[in-house]
């Protein structure tokens, strides 16, 4: 056990039944890390249940079904009646802020048991009794792998599979800039432990519904190129969801498509929710603009290259406000010198 993981693992070691949860609209890292921790706890004879605050994307359901990991899906609100009596520890993975855990702040702020945060995001709050946060980690799954190793938990095939899915998801199958040598070393270790990579690849990248592809087509048709093609903006409105029968969760990763364009430094995706809530704005950067700092001026946050925010107002009003601010930001940001590195 390393010094830095000790306080965290000391608390976990004393637990009898842990509630494991993660951010709303869970991605592969969120779900994979939550399941890996639940399975790791089971290896240490500690019971746990996983609470999801949005519905489980069907492509990840095998993680729960094949291992009988107890799952609670809260959806828009916690299930009634939701009793915390059976839990003695809260473990939050892949986020460190209440805003990503809607409904939980009220439930847990006066809870007398320990709260733990395992995360790799920059934006953090100070309510956890112990945190294991490494912002240079590519995925929460990387940190979970470190913790489980420190705890003496072996990578069984199910644990290795959940961790690999987490890490592959957040790195875009080891393509994004967050991929480190340690990421590849861990991936090799997980492969050796028996991960079926072909199956996981098909699960992550060849598993879309027709509705999602139809919605993506519409998003791409909405694309504007601004600031001398340094900024790409796409929007998805209520009508797009209605006419394609796709869901808001189907917009995941659309934002990365314009990043394929050489000149594009920043990509913005605006999504108007079908339930009439706030407009969701996602931001991606190739590095010249710190989009986490940009998002903070609107109450959002995230990473320097991947951030988000939410605003009240119509899709077009939010579009105009955010796009004007980004055009302003880019006007004071030097255009990056084209790379001429030899491969
Ligand atoms: Mn993550």
């Amino acid at each position: 056990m390393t010094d830095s993981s000790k306080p965290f693992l000391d608390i976990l070691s004393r637990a009898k039944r842990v509630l494991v949860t993660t951010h709303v609209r869970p991605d592969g890292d969120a779900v994979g890390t939550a399941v890996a921790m639940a399975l790791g706890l089971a290896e240490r004879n500690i019971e746990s249940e996983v609470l999801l605050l949005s519905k489980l994307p069907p492509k990840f359901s095998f993680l729960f079904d094949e291992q009988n990991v107890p799952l609670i899906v809260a959806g828009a609100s916690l299930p009634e009646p939701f009793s915390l009596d059976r839990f003695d520890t809260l473990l939050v993975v892949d986020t460190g802020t209440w805003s990503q855990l809607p409904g939980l702040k009220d439930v847990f702020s006066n809870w007398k048991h320990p709260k733990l945060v395992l995360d790799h995001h920059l934006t953090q709050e100070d309510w956890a009794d112990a945190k294991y946060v490494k912002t240079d980690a590519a995925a929460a799954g990387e940190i979970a792998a470190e913790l489980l190793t420190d705890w003496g938990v072996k990578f069984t095939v199910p644990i290795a599979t959940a961790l690999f899915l987490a890490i592959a998801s957040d790195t875009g199958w080891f393509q994004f800039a967050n991929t480190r040598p340690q990421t590849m070393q861990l991936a090799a270790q997980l492969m050796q432990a028996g991960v079926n990579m072909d199956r996981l690849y098909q699960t992550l990248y060849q598993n879309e519904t027709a509705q999602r592809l139809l919605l993506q087509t519409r998003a791409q048709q909405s694309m504007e190129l601004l600031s001398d093609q340094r900024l790409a903006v796409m929007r998805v409105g209520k009508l797009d969801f209605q006419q394609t029968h796709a869901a808001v969760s189907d917009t995941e990763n659309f934002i990365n498509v314009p990043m394929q364009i050489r000149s594009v430094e920043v990509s913005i995706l605006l999504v108007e929710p079908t339930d009439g809530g706030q407009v969701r704005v996602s931001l991606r950067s190739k590095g010249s603009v710190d989009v986490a700092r940009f998002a903070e001026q609107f109450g959002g946050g995230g990473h320097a290259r991947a951030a988000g925010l939410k605003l009240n107002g119509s899709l077009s009003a939010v579009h105009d406000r955010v796009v004007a601010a980004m055009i302003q930001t880019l006007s004071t940001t030097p255009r990056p010198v084209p790379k001429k590195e030899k491969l």
Side-chain angles (χ1 to χ4, degrees):
M1 200 182 287
T2 59
D3 286 351
S4 56
S5 61
K6 195 175 183 304
F8 193 100
L9 291 175
D10 280 348
I11 291 176
L12 264 196
S13 302
R14 287 194 293 270
K16 296 229 161 14
R17 194 172 187 91
V18 180
L19 182 64
V20 183
T21 192
T22 187
H23 57 81
V24 279
R25 295 182 301 280
D27 51 20
D29 187 29
V31 175
T33 303
V35 169
M37 289 307 294
L39 294 172
L41 286 162
E43 291 288 313
R44 300 282 310 214
N45 295 313
I46 298 166
E47 295 182 339
S48 68
E49 294 175 41
V50 174
L51 168 69
L52 292 185
L53 303 169
S54 317
K55 76 179 197 323
L56 175 66
K59 63 184 174 189
F60 301 140
S61 63
F62 77 95
L63 287 171
F64 291 88
D65 301 342
E66 291 176 9
Q67 302 305 321
N68 293 317
V69 176
L71 171 66
I72 311 158
V73 179
S77 60
L78 289 175
E80 293 282 349
F82 182 70
S83 171
L84 291 175
D85 294 351
R86 61 188 186 278
F87 301 108
D88 57 15
T89 304
L90 173 70
L91 170 58
V92 174
V93 303
D94 203 31
T95 182
T97 59
W98 288 126
S99 63
Q100 291 292 304
L101 301 162
L104 294 196
K105 186 180 182 179
D106 292 344
V107 179
F108 283 101
S109 46
N110 292 319
W111 205 49
K112 59 182 192 304
H113 298 291
K115 300 188 275 287
L116 300 172
V117 166
L118 180 171
D119 192 21
H120 66 128
H121 292 91
L122 285 172
T123 312
Q124 293 292 328
E125 290 163 356
D126 270 327
W127 43 262
D129 297 276
K131 285 210 229 188
Y132 201 62
V133 175
K134 297 203 166 180
T135 53
D136 57 344
E142 260 189 31
I143 308 167
E146 221 175 89
L147 274 173
L148 292 175
T149 302
D150 276 3
W151 215 14
V153 174
K154 281 223 180 70
F155 293 153
T156 61
V157 174
I159 291 177
T161 301
L163 290 173
F164 195 99
L165 186 133
I167 296 155
S169 296
D170 261 20
T171 58
W173 206 266
F174 313 101
Q175 296 176 77
F176 301 156
N178 58 356
T179 309
R180 308 182 289 171
Q182 295 97 307
T183 316
M184 305 305 277
Q185 276 156 0
L186 175 59
Q189 205 187 331
L190 297 173
M191 210 177 155
Q192 250 155 0
V195 171
N196 181 340
M197 283 178 59
D198 180 48
R199 179 193 180 188
L200 281 186
Y201 188 85
Q202 290 190 28
T203 299
L204 286 176
Y205 300 108
Q206 299 177 329
N207 203 7
E208 303 299 350
T209 61
Q211 292 95 300
R212 178 175 143 88
L213 262 285
L214 291 169
L215 190 70
Q216 183 173 335
T217 303
R218 283 171 165 260
Q220 285 183 232
Q221 280 168 341
S222 79
M223 186 170 72
E224 300 168 273
L225 288 169
L226 305 165
S227 295
D228 199 18
Q229 305 199 338
R230 299 171 72 190
L231 170 62
V233 183
M234 300 194 303
R235 52 178 118 184
V236 182
K238 262 185 217 166
L239 197 65
D240 298 309
F241 290 112
Q242 283 161 11
Q243 293 185 344
T244 57
H245 305 288
V248 171
S249 56
D250 287 318
T251 59
E252 199 195 332
N253 283 325
F254 285 7
I255 192 166
N256 293 314
V257 174
M259 301 291 270
Q260 294 171 26
I261 301 169
R262 188 203 319 253
S263 63
V264 168
E265 294 167 48
V266 174
S267 174
I268 297 179
L269 174 69
L270 300 120
V271 176
E272 179 184 38
T274 43
D275 61 10
Q278 290 177 301
V279 175
R280 279 173 43 196
V281 182
S282 304
L283 303 138
R284 295 289 182 278
S285 166
K286 286 182 185 161
S288 58
V289 174
D290 181 338
V291 286
R293 204 191 289 169
F294 177 87
E296 276 166 16
Q297 67 182 300
F298 296 102
H303 300 282
R305 288 171 182 245
L309 61 99
K310 285 182 192 173
L311 285 175
N312 287 318
S314 70
L315 186 61
S316 63
V318 172
H319 167 278
D320 293 354
R321 220 177 129 190
V322 174
V323 169
M326 186 55 81
I327 288 172
Q328 173 62 32
T329 298
L330 280 166
S331 73
T332 59
T333 305
R335 193 190 281 269
V337 181
K339 289 198 180 93
K340 283 185 187 161
E341 294 164 62
K342 287 207 178 85
L343 287 177

